[in-house]
Amino acid sequence: MSAHSHVEGALPHEPEKATLEGRNKVLGFWLFLGGETVLFGTLFAAFLALRHQVLDGPSPQHLFDLGLVALATGILLTSSLTSVFATQALHQHNVKALINWLIVTVVLGLGFLVLEIYEFYHYVHEGHGFTTSAFSSSFYTLVGFHGAHVLFGILWITSIIIQLKKKGLTVVTAPKAYVAGLYWHFIDVVWVFIFTVVYLMGKVG
């Protein structure tokens, strides 16, 4: 029986692990996340080493608007919850609910990105450009790198929504949806660290 011949009703409870290829995708992705963790860890270390090197630019205490960042954080954490609901729908073989929760996740991700772009625009007008100081360079590199991951996640989940609409839930599409959920949780966890290390510690000084 080919992978495509599985009908939704015949799918196992965890269709993302039903085939060797699916299990390998999940395992391989955990290894990829390990590498990403090291990469982000390096950027965090660089930021912590340079965060007091503000030169003539504004300091974190004067720059950061915690209200805006808290709103963005709330939106991203909510998207993590909707991603959990999507995974639950996947395990229940409910394609309609899976697609709908993925769409909500994408919309929330876009909301987060819009706030981040607005935040960067505001900072540049406050004299906090990429080359203003070592602090600003490390800030934009870390936070911008995370933002790029959010954008990639949005595009990736959107492509999976299109595949699910065309092909339905199979042992081929299920691992893709599951792995995208893992990725989305990862960038949410990274953001919690950014919110704490960059914004809260920056505001406290």
Side-chain angles (χ1 to χ4, degrees), residues 128-139:
H128 182 65
F130 185 81
T131 56
T132 302
S133 64
F135 158 64
S136 68
S137 297
S138 62
F139 167 81

Side-chain angles (χ1 to χ4, degrees), residues 178-193:
Y178 182 78
V179 162
L182 290 180
Y183 176 83
W184 198 255
H185 291 312
F186 171 75
I187 56 178
D188 286 350
V189 169
V190 171
W191 179 257
V192 170
F193 280 99

Side-chain angles (χ1 to χ4, degrees), residues 5-48:
S5 62
H6 273 269
V7 293
E8 285 165 32
L11 284 172
H13 171 61
E14 294 185 336
E16 73 276 6
K17 297 173 184 172
T19 64
L20 179 62
E21 183 186 357
R23 289 193 295 275
N24 285 343
K25 274 182 184 170
V26 174
L27 175 61
F29 196 74
W30 278 112
L31 296 174
F32 165 74
L33 287 185
E36 286 281 281
T37 302
V38 172
L39 197 54
F40 271 108
T42 304
L43 293 176
F44 272 110
F47 174 81
L48 286 170

Side-chain angles (χ1 to χ4, degrees), residues 19-181:
T19 64
L20 179 62
E21 183 186 357
R23 289 193 295 275
N24 285 343
K25 274 182 184 170
V26 174
L27 175 61
F29 196 74
W30 278 112
L31 296 174
F32 165 74
L33 287 185
E36 286 281 281
T37 302
V38 172
L39 197 54
F40 271 108
T42 304
L43 293 176
F44 272 110
F47 174 81
L48 286 170
L50 300 171
R51 69 192 184 104
H52 296 300
Q53 311 296 320
V54 295
L55 295 179
D56 295 328
S59 68
Q61 291 98 321
H62 294 112
L63 193 65
F64 294 150
D65 179 359
L66 282 188
L68 181 71
V69 181
L71 176 61
T73 302
I75 289 172
L76 201 61
L77 291 180
T78 303
S79 77
S80 192
L81 183 62
T82 60
S83 178
V84 169
F85 292 153
T87 302
Q88 287 178 344
L90 167 69
H91 290 156
Q92 291 162 0
H93 308 156
N94 188 338
V95 189
K96 186 180 178 183
L98 170 58
I99 291 171
N100 287 342
W101 283 121
L102 289 178
I103 289 171
V104 174
T105 303
V106 164
V107 170
L108 289 168
L110 283 170
F112 171 84
L113 270 188
V114 167
L115 285 177
E116 188 162 279
I117 291 166
Y118 170 78
E119 180 195 10
F120 282 7
Y121 175 81
H122 171 71
Y123 290 166
V124 169
H125 278 263
E126 290 285 317
H128 182 65
F130 185 81
T131 56
T132 302
S133 64
F135 158 64
S136 68
S137 297
S138 62
F139 167 81
Y140 283 118
T141 301
L142 172 58
V143 181
F145 190 63
H146 176 269
H149 276 69
V150 173
L151 176 61
F152 175 76
I154 288 168
L155 296 173
W156 184 11
I157 294 171
T158 301
S159 74
I160 289 167
I161 291 168
I162 293 166
Q163 288 181 48
L164 286 167
K165 280 180 178 286
K166 285 182 179 177
K167 301 176 182 177
L169 187 62
T170 69
V171 290
V172 175
T173 56
K176 294 177 182 178
Y178 182 78
V179 162

